Amino acid sequence: MKILVDENMPYAQTLFSRLGEVQAVPGRPIPQAALAGADALMVRSVTKVNADLLAGTGVKFVGTATAGTDHVDDAWLAAQGIGFSAAPGCNAIAVVEYVFSALLILAQRDGWQLRDKTVGIVGVGNVGSRLQARLEALGVKTLLCDPPRAARGDHGPFWPLEKLVAEADILTFHTPLNKEGPYRSRHLVDAEVLAALPDNRVLINACRGAVVDNAALLAALRGGKALRTVLDVWEPEPDLSLPLLQAVDIGTAHIAGYSLEGKARGTTQVFEAYSQFLGRPQQVPLATLLPVPDVSEVTLNGNLAANLDEGTLLRLMHLVYDVRRDDAPLRRVAGIPGEFDKLRKFYQERREWSSLCIQCDDEATAALLTRLGFSARLR
Ligand SMILES: NC(=O)c1ccc[n+]([C@@H]2O[C@H](COP(=O)([O-])OP(=O)(O)OC[C@H]3O[C@@H](n4cnc5c(N)ncnc54)[C@H](O)[C@@H]3O)[C@@H](O)[C@H]2O)c1
Ligand SMILES: O=C(O)[C@H](O)[C@H](O)COP(=O)(O)O
């Protein structure tokens, strides 16, 4: 059995070789010749999976080690009887930690406290709900917008986007890219929404580039719109607009979800799905794959639970991940053909906050840090 895997999928060789012969290939584009004789294909978001790629091949299963699935024509796969699995939630924690880092950097730069702000979360799924939980732990007010969940009667409250645009200081987008349908999210942020946004707000897009109309955003920023902007995703990728990159406050190469844990979960989720598909179910505990982090333990002195200072939180967070390490390289190489994908391929190892164990003096501080996503213990 021949299994093709994207070369940017850590641990794929180790795991999938338990099931068959593994060949690692580039994902953008997949070399067509490699598909000859392949039984299964494991991709990332850069590969368009559709009839053009797979018609006439023997591929019987496709896995994508990603949360988003807009690159996959799942209706066509289903019509062909080809098995399919994504990796929902695999990298949600990484995206949340990216958003926290960006927000606390902007707060420090502009002299405000996150605790004094209202954060509007658009799309309250795996990423959005984890973001809400951590913001809540810190005492930050949130407003949620998720029409599909509202229609299902899920516990909210959920509000229309217009309310978030009018009232939230920070607007952060975590929807799938729906190109059509009742919950269309393509250009959810368009010229009209941008015009309606009051001054001095923060806009974050860490879901899919086209959720924000990039041309309209550039026009607004060029027109003097007072808006802090954080973009991890672009319309289009990899050929993002260089003027837009220059105009945003933080810009990164679609790496918000790129923690080692997030990527490893993506691989294990599709591995488990494929082994299930073959009738040979296997589970892979994440801890058996991950290396020891560079920094694994620090001590925090004193009782900080009552009012965890945001400067202290920033320092703790940035012992693990600081989004500026990804902003600077993109600005250096954007516009050079191939470099956007190279930044992603040779991504410096990044861990999640849970990899840092914080020793605390008291239980309340340890409990708060645990709610925020760190590992914490009493010393
Ligand atoms: N930048 C990155 O590295 C990165 C990493 C992970 C995920 N993503 C993207 O972020 C998206 C969200 O990730 P997730 O894991 O939370 O997905 P998810 O499917 O768990 O959650 C998405 C939520 O958005 C809601 N939604 C759908 N259409 C909407 C609309 N028009 N308006 C408001 N809400 C809407 C859904 O009901 C759902 O609750 C993914 O689909 C993916 O495209 C990007
Ligand atoms: O949808 C996702 O899971 C993310 O956008 C993911 O981080 C994209 O990474 P890629 O598959 O492009 O390497």
Side-chain angles (χ1 to χ4, degrees):
M1 183 158 42
K2 176 172 158 186
I3 306 165
L4 287 190
V5 301
D6 184 298
E7 63 189 7
N8 296 337
M9 208 183 282
Y11 308 112
Q13 187 81 37
T14 315
L15 293 178
F16 286 99
S17 59
R18 296 183 191 174
L19 301 171
E21 177 209 334
V22 179
Q23 185 182 343
V25 287
R28 181 151 49 195
I30 295 250
Q32 196 74 34
L35 287 161
D39 297 283
L41 174 64
M42 307 299 156
V43 298
R44 302 198 59 88
S45 79
V46 293
T47 303
K48 299 259 175 280
V49 180
N50 51 28
D52 288 348
L53 184 73
L54 292 184
T57 71
V59 169
K60 296 168 207 63
F61 182 91
V62 173
T64 181
T66 59
T69 56
D70 48 287
H71 54 296
V72 178
D73 186 344
D74 49 355
W76 182 81
L77 292 182
Q80 307 307 305
I82 298 174
F84 172 60
S85 178
C90 61
N91 45 21
I93 291 171
V95 178
V96 170
E97 294 176 0
Y98 173 101
V99 170
F100 259 89
S101 174
L103 284 177
L104 289 191
I105 286 165
L106 294 180
Q108 192 179 52
R109 202 183 280 174
D110 291 346
W112 44 265
Q113 293 282 306
L114 187 51
R115 275 200 188 86
D116 299 334
K117 301 292 182 189
T118 297
V119 179
I121 302 175
V122 186
V124 193
N126 281 294
V127 176
S129 58
R130 284 171 175 82
L131 178 61
Q132 187 210 8
R134 289 198 189 181
L135 288 167
E136 214 168 71
L138 199 61
V140 180
K141 184 180 170 200
T142 55
L143 287 173
L144 309 179
C145 167
D146 192 315
R149 290 195 57 192
R152 285 201 300 269
D154 283 2
H155 178 68
F158 296 107
W159 304 99
L161 180 60
E162 293 71 27
K163 180 177 168 82
L164 275 65
V165 169
E167 295 179 20
D169 303 293
I170 294 152
L171 265 187
T172 185
F173 286 81
H174 303 290
T175 70
L177 175 60
N178 301 328
K179 291 172 195 130
E180 53 206 21
Y183 303 119
R184 187 185 133 123
S185 60
R186 185 176 176 275
H187 291 184
L188 203 52
V189 178
D190 57 10
E192 209 178 308
V193 167
L194 288 163
L197 263 180
D199 278 351
N200 302 318
R201 299 291 164 96
V202 177
L203 172 71
I204 302 180
N205 187 8
C207 57
R208 284 292 179 265
V211 169
V212 174
D213 179 340
N214 278 210
L217 175 60
L218 178 59
L221 294 171
R222 276 188 165 157
K225 181 92 194 168
L227 177 68
R228 290 291 188 206
T229 315
V230 178
L231 294 185
D232 177 54
V233 287
W234 307 85
E235 186 194 34
E237 289 173 17
D239 302 317
L240 56 86
S241 153
L242 297 182
L244 182 57
L245 175 62
Q246 276 157 17
V248 302
D249 295 278
I250 296 175
T252 49
H254 194 157
I255 49 66
Y258 267 23
S259 65
L260 186 59
E261 287 89 339
K263 281 191 163 187
R265 276 186 218 105
T267 308
T268 57
Q269 282 177 236
V270 289
F271 169 76
E272 290 176 4
Y274 185 44
S275 51
Q276 178 82 39
F277 175 83
L278 294 175
R280 299 158 59 185
Q282 298 185 47
Q283 304 259 299
V284 185
L286 206 59
T288 60
L289 297 176
L290 296 173
V292 174
D294 290 345
V295 181
S296 55
E297 205 164 274
V298 293
T299 302
L300 194 60
N301 299 308
N303 178 347
L304 302 178
N307 192 12
L308 179 64
D309 164 59
E310 287 183 18
T312 305
L313 178 60
L314 182 102
R315 278 190 290 154
L316 291 173
M317 275 169 26
H318 285 175
L319 280 175
V320 186
Y321 175 63
D322 179 337
V323 70
R324 286 170 294 197
R325 74 159 230 205
D326 290 322
D327 171 277
L330 180 60
R331 290 179 197 276
R332 269 200 302 276
V333 302
I336 306 172
E339 292 295 320
F340 186 93
D341 281 345
K342 252 198 227 156
L343 285 178
R344 310 182 78 227
K345 179 171 179 178
F346 300 108
Y347 192 68
Q348 184 194 339
E349 185 176 297
R350 161 181 159 202
R351 301 302 294 267
E352 295 180 353
W353 299 353
S354 62
S355 69
L356 182 66
C357 180
I358 305 176
Q359 300 209 53
C360 305
D361 285 338
D362 69 291
E363 252 174 65
T365 305
L368 174 60
L369 291 170
T370 304
R371 280 185 75 198
L372 286 171
F374 294 96
S375 300
R377 69 160 184 254
L378 281 178
R379 62 177 172 139

